[in-house]
Amino acid sequence: MADNSSTGPDAHPPTHSPETEPVVADLAPEALRRFVSTWSGMVHITDARGVILEVTDEWLTVLGFSRHEVVGQQLDRFFTAASAAQHPDLVQPRREVGGSDHERRAQMLARSGTPVDVVVDVVVQRGGDAEAVGAIGIVRDITTQLETERRLRESESRSRVLHELVERTRDVRDPDEILPAALEVLGQHLGASRCAFAHVDHDGEWFTIPHDYTDDCPSTAGRYQLSLFGSQAVGELSQGRTYVVGDVDAELEPGEGADMFNAIGIKSIVCCSLVRDGVLRAMMAVHQIEPRQWTPDEVEITQEFVERCWSMIEQRRAESELRRSEALLRIANRAAQMSEWSIDVRTGVVTWPDDTCALHEVPPGTSPTQEEVLDFFVPEDRDTMRAHMRRCIDDGTPFDDELQLVSATQRRLCVRVFGLAERDRDGQIVRLECAYQDISERKAAEMALAESHESLRVTLMSIGDAVITADPSGDVEWMNPVAERLTGWSAEEARGKPLRQVFHIVDEETRQPTENPMATCLQEQRIVGLVNRTLLLSRTGEEYGIEDSAAPIRDEYGQVLGVVLVFHDVTEQRLLSGEMTYRASHDELTDLINRSEFENRLRRLLQRSHDDHSQHAMMFIDLDQFKLVNDACGHSVGDQLLQQVSALLSEAVRSHDTVARLGGDEFGVLLDHCTITQAQRIAEVICERMSEHRFQHEEHRFRVGASIGLVPVDEQWSTAAEVMQAADTACYAAKEAGRNRVHTWYDTDAAIRERQGEMQWTTRIERALDDDRFVLYGQKIESLNEPATGLHAEVLLRMCRKDGSLVQPGAFLPAAERYHLATRVDRWVLRHATDWLVELPDLAAVEMLCINLSGQSIGDRAFHRHAVELLDALPPEVCHRLCLEITETAAITNLADASNFIEQIGGLGVKIALDDFGAGASSFGYLKSLDVDILKIDGQFIKDLLDDPLDDAAVRCFVDVARLVDMKTVAEFVDRPDVLNRVRELGIDYGQGYLLHKPEPLDQLLDSLAPESVESA
């Protein structure tokens, strides 16, 4: 060894001084052996050539040789080559002059070949010529000393590195933050390329490296399969042994971890495992990117590190969990409003923490006596608390009670009191641990809940609805008095019985049991109602019509606790509803079904024909001459006639057919499963019976016929409305053909197609009225004998199509008359014509503006009111320029209404013209009853005036009568110059016709007010 340390305290000094030693090389073997035996310790004697002459017994014992194996051998054989080369004078005496040499550290070889660390002191013996003749070697075994020194150094090194680990992690609370610091400390201490700590999964198949320490090499953090280590490594690590590989390529076979280590650049590894309860929990590994022989100390420090790191991590986790538990306990105490306190049994001292002081509303730090603790309780609870405390202190009986105490500010609290005895190691009770939980709010809530429950119970007992509750199995739990009355069961009798036994319901019509709503509610866990027309059969035999709903009862977590069934008696309402339904579907006068129900049945019949291709028929019946009965005898008598007709129709049809009154004097019949041939025969029978029937009232006797429209009800119709329209049209055709007859609808029926065309016009008229798509035209009326003072014209009407083209009035006005739209058209014309007049900048430019009114408007008193209100709101000068034209036929038909209307508007200054005069049979006679201003002679007399002497005579007569009653006359249809000359000769005041002026938009009439000369016309 290179180190020349001095001898230690274990050295054995020789028994002779080296200076006085005899020349041992000259001694005989026996004397030499005796000489050596006087030495203690390890001593060897050599000659000048380094040949061993003798050794001590201890020398032989330490190195493990026998004497005959040593004596005579070269001394250098027993030293390591390095020591012999470094210190040649140890194995052969030096030739230089000298005495005792100093000690040298060297290594000798034991018989096993193991080096033995020693310190050698050589004493060279010389002859008379100072030549070395031998040497005595005094040897001291320092193996134990060096091992102790090595262990001391290693211990100091481990202490330093562990101290550094402790210092680096002293303030680290998070267990996951310990690893990075620990790995860095270990890696730097060992000079490793990489250090890593791994957690092994519970299944033992995977391990995770959350952090690692690296020295300029890639990180290995990640998740790996444990089997990548190889079976040998996994086996050793699972047994808690350390796995050491100095050279991966040289020591490992493929499949035993070499592939994984090479993939991540590891050439050498020390891996220590941590096994708990026989389970591999963690590993710590030190890697090198080149081969390295690891010392036992490095392996041990790695093993100690994994133990220490795991202990620190578990400690931090325990501390963290403890802090978390303490925090949760504090939170729980605050949430539960818990206050702790204790009594030391040996001293009697009471300890109140701040929260307990706060509960009692005393200053923090207050330490009351036991009696003062009891004084806070209300008098009636004080003895109870004293008894609890005494028993717990005496025999350890715990207590849990609800008591009341009063704080220092006299605030009354409800508290739950807990008490538990704490014992020492000997089982002696040393402390009473108590806790208060403030339950004042809970008690208040319980009281409020009890009051609410009582209020609810009283309410349920008092309400008019029946209430039954059942448990999740469907057994009755409770029922209120109304439910008892309706079911016939008392609450006590019904409790625990299946609901279907107590609540027995059937269908009102079929009398079959219906589905129990409570069972459905429990199964589907939703609110369920009863089917319509449900009947409750009482235990006493009574029957009640009921309506109900069942709803699940849930707790705060949504779990179904049962079902509540609420129902009420609707027997009377159902009877009333049935009566109302009957009235809604039947005609009150005749007791036949009404139009609405008739149309519903027609729709069902039509749907059936589409479904099964069946054939049916419908009749639309309109009574002939019914108005005559009403006008002659009054409406009450007319009602009697309708009742007789209803009975006659019901007798004429089959029992399963349907007869309905559609309104007024109109009836409908549905013939179920009836061909059109059969339907014609039934319709003819009705006509015959109606024709034979005579209605007698007092001295009046009437014959009332029936016009019938017959339509097949089959697949050709899409809607019931189409069938009704066809039947109405067929009935109209029967009336047109002479009344009291049957007209059967056929697809080729011309009359019906014409009627349907008119019906299509009704839709267009309605749309034009809604969209304001009418246009006012005008035709001038020229003065024939006197100069005109302004515009005199008749207002005409056109309909505007969507494309802008105009429709002549002859196309749509007949339909308006037929379907009672004429009055609406007249309102539109009257309003727009008067607006036109009002908006004129110069009203004086107009002398007279004539507006035609239909016969429907003349007989419509609502129109009269509307027209009078409109005209009354106009300025007088506008009314004085208006003239309303009434046809002679309309005036005669509604003579009384016409006279009244003429009188009303005449009072407003509006003039009246009697249009188409001469068309009636008694024209002159009605002039006495009608206060009109102008006679407009019917065009049939004017157009043939020159060709028919009778027309000429009639016109002369009309003119004479007009002059007699001071009326102006107007000749219509003036279309030839010679006719114009003749009417002027006859003294007619005004002329109107295409010869004089062709109709044009009303706004253009004022463009030229200068009248054309007759000659130019």
Side-chain angles (χ1 to χ4, degrees), residues 95-376:
R95 295 182 180 279
E96 295 84 0
V97 177
S100 176
D101 202 351
H102 59 274
E103 292 181 340
R104 291 177 176 82
R105 182 177 291 180
Q107 281 189 322
M108 298 185 73
L109 289 171
R111 193 174 189 276
S112 62
T114 303
V116 178
D117 291 302
V118 296
V119 174
V120 183
D121 184 7
V122 180
V123 179
V124 180
Q125 291 189 326
R126 302 182 185 280
D129 54 1
E131 287 290 328
V133 294
I136 300 174
I138 303 171
V139 182
R140 182 165 54 87
D141 182 4
I142 61 171
T143 302
T144 303
Q145 176 186 341
L146 291 179
E147 179 65 21
T148 301
E149 291 175 353
R150 183 184 66 80
R151 289 185 178 277
L152 180 61
R153 288 193 302 274
E154 291 175 354
S155 176
E156 291 175 349
S157 175
R158 281 197 295 273
S159 296
R160 285 195 303 274
V161 70
L162 293 174
H163 176 73
E164 183 179 357
L165 173 63
V166 171
E167 289 298 317
R168 291 279 297 274
T169 60
R170 182 185 304 278
D171 298 325
V172 177
R173 285 192 168 191
D174 188 348
D176 294 333
E177 294 182 3
I178 290 177
L179 287 177
L183 295 174
E184 183 178 353
V185 171
L186 180 63
Q188 291 176 351
H189 175 73
L190 297 180
S193 303
R194 183 190 294 113
C195 289
F197 186 92
H199 297 282
V200 180
D201 291 358
H202 292 292
D203 57 11
E205 296 183 1
W206 293 81
F207 66 92
T208 302
I209 302 176
H211 309 283
D212 62 1
Y213 162 78
T214 62
D215 183 15
D216 296 332
C217 64
S219 171
T220 57
R223 193 164 185 263
Y224 304 89
Q225 281 188 300
L226 191 61
S227 60
L228 295 176
F229 270 102
S231 59
Q232 179 183 351
V234 173
E236 292 185 11
L237 292 171
S238 298
Q239 296 298 319
R241 294 193 291 268
T242 301
Y243 179 66
V244 181
V245 178
D247 188 339
V248 168
D249 295 331
E251 299 179 27
L252 295 181
E253 296 292 334
E256 288 298 324
D259 296 338
M260 182 188 74
F261 294 143
N262 285 322
I264 57 179
I266 295 176
K267 294 300 181 181
S268 180
I269 181 173
V270 174
C271 185
C272 301
S273 63
L274 185 102
V275 177
R276 292 287 186 270
D277 299 326
V279 178
L280 179 62
R281 303 294 301 277
M283 300 181 293
M284 179 171 279
V286 182
H287 306 157
Q288 203 70 26
I289 59 175
E290 65 276 338
R292 172 176 174 175
Q293 294 304 314
W294 303 93
T295 67
D297 179 61
E298 292 170 335
V299 174
E300 288 180 11
I301 192 67
T302 303
Q303 182 64 49
E304 188 165 353
F305 244 68
V306 69
E307 293 282 352
R308 183 62 60 91
C309 284
W310 184 259
S311 297
M312 294 175 68
I313 289 172
E314 287 187 327
Q315 179 183 353
R316 294 299 193 276
R317 286 176 177 169
E319 292 172 352
S320 176
E321 187 63 27
L322 180 59
R323 288 193 298 272
R324 178 175 175 274
S325 298
E326 291 174 346
L328 288 175
L329 181 59
R330 289 193 297 272
I331 293 172
N333 284 343
R334 285 197 297 269
Q337 298 179 307
M338 297 287 289
S339 302
E340 301 173 349
W341 59 280
S342 63
I343 300 176
D344 190 320
V345 173
R346 290 165 297 188
T347 63
V349 174
V350 177
T351 302
W352 269 9
D354 290 348
D355 54 355
T356 305
C357 293
L359 177 70
H360 291 78
E361 297 182 324
V362 296
T366 299
S367 182
T369 65
Q370 293 185 35
E371 283 302 317
E372 288 173 339
V373 169
L374 293 171
D375 287 343
F376 278 98

Side-chain angles (χ1 to χ4, degrees), residues 780-784 969-972 974 980 983 988-993 996:
K780 294 179 181 178
I781 300 174
E782 298 290 355
S783 177
L784 301 180
T969 53
V970 178
E972 298 178 320
V974 178
L980 175 61
V983 297
I988 296 176
D989 300 300
Y990 297 95
Q992 180 180 359
L996 301 174

Side-chain angles (χ1 to χ4, degrees), residues 459-758:
T459 300
L460 291 176
M461 297 291 284
S462 305
I463 62 174
D465 285 354
V467 181
I468 302 177
T469 62
D471 60 22
S473 62
D475 294 335
V476 175
E477 289 185 331
W478 181 86
M479 57 200 304
N480 70 349
V482 179
E484 291 179 321
R485 178 177 60 82
L486 294 179
T487 62
W489 289 79
S490 68
E492 188 64 31
E493 292 175 321
R495 185 175 296 112
K497 287 185 170 54
L499 180 68
R500 62 179 178 274
Q501 181 180 349
V502 176
F503 187 67
H504 185 201
I505 53 177
V506 297
D507 184 271
E508 190 174 48
E509 295 181 359
T510 66
R511 309 293 292 187
Q512 294 298 314
T514 62
E515 185 176 8
N516 192 310
M518 193 170 283
T520 306
C521 177
L522 282 171
Q523 182 179 358
E524 302 180 5
Q525 297 191 4
R526 63 178 181 86
I527 298 175
V528 177
L530 274 178
V531 296
N532 292 330
R533 317 300 293 182
T534 299
L535 205 62
L536 171 64
L537 303 183
S538 171
R539 187 184 186 189
T540 61
E542 299 290 331
E543 296 184 357
Y544 301 97
I546 62 168
E547 292 179 353
D548 84 338
S549 65
I553 303 173
R554 302 178 185 272
D555 62 13
E556 57 183 328
Y557 305 106
Q559 296 296 318
V560 175
L561 305 178
V563 180
V564 58
L565 178 68
V566 181
F567 60 97
H568 56 277
D569 182 4
V570 294
T571 306
E572 293 185 6
Q573 295 94 316
R574 194 168 287 173
L575 291 174
L576 181 61
S577 175
E579 183 178 349
M580 293 178 64
T581 301
Y582 184 85
R583 290 184 179 182
S585 61
H586 286 72
D587 177 57
E588 184 176 0
L589 176 64
T590 62
D591 209 30
L592 299 175
I593 65 170
N594 58 20
R595 186 184 193 96
S596 175
E597 179 63 19
F598 183 82
E599 290 176 348
N600 289 335
R601 297 189 185 186
L602 175 59
R603 278 190 288 270
R604 291 196 293 269
L605 201 64
L606 181 61
Q607 182 61 48
R608 197 193 312 164
S609 70
H610 281 269
D611 295 340
D612 58 14
H613 312 292
S614 55
Q615 293 184 357
H616 317 280
M618 174 196 162
M619 285 188 278
F620 190 100
I621 304 173
D622 186 87
L623 301 184
D624 300 328
Q625 307 301 329
F626 176 73
K627 188 174 183 299
L628 182 62
V629 177
N630 261 350
D631 292 345
C633 304
H635 290 285
S636 60
V637 177
D639 290 344
Q640 296 176 22
L641 173 59
L642 292 176
Q643 291 172 338
Q644 293 181 14
V645 171
S646 300
L648 187 150
L649 293 177
S650 299
E651 293 172 358
V653 299
R654 301 169 301 178
S655 60
H656 61 276
D657 293 332
T658 298
V659 180
R661 182 187 177 198
L662 304 182
D665 59 348
E666 295 176 344
F667 294 83
V669 177
L670 289 178
L671 302 173
D672 195 356
H673 285 90
C674 183
T675 64
I676 196 65
T677 303
Q678 293 172 319
Q680 284 175 333
R681 288 198 294 268
I682 295 173
E684 293 293 344
V685 169
I686 291 174
C687 277
E688 291 176 5
R689 292 189 180 183
M690 288 295 297
S691 179
E692 296 170 356
H693 181 71
R694 296 293 182 269
F695 178 69
Q696 182 75 36
H697 177 70
E698 296 179 351
E699 71 278 5
H700 301 287
R701 183 181 177 86
F702 300 94
R703 175 181 175 275
V704 179
S707 298
I708 302 177
L710 179 62
V711 178
V713 179
D714 51 26
E715 297 173 79
Q716 65 179 312
W717 307 107
S718 300
T719 64
E722 293 179 358
V723 179
M724 291 286 288
Q725 178 181 328
D728 181 46
T729 304
C731 180
Y732 180 77
K735 282 185 175 295
E736 293 290 321
R739 300 176 182 269
N740 199 41
R741 64 190 63 232
V742 179
H743 188 103
T744 304
W745 184 93
Y746 292 103
D747 198 24
T748 57
D749 197 320
I752 291 179
R753 286 202 305 273
E754 180 183 351
R755 177 76 186 282
Q756 289 176 333
E758 287 184 354

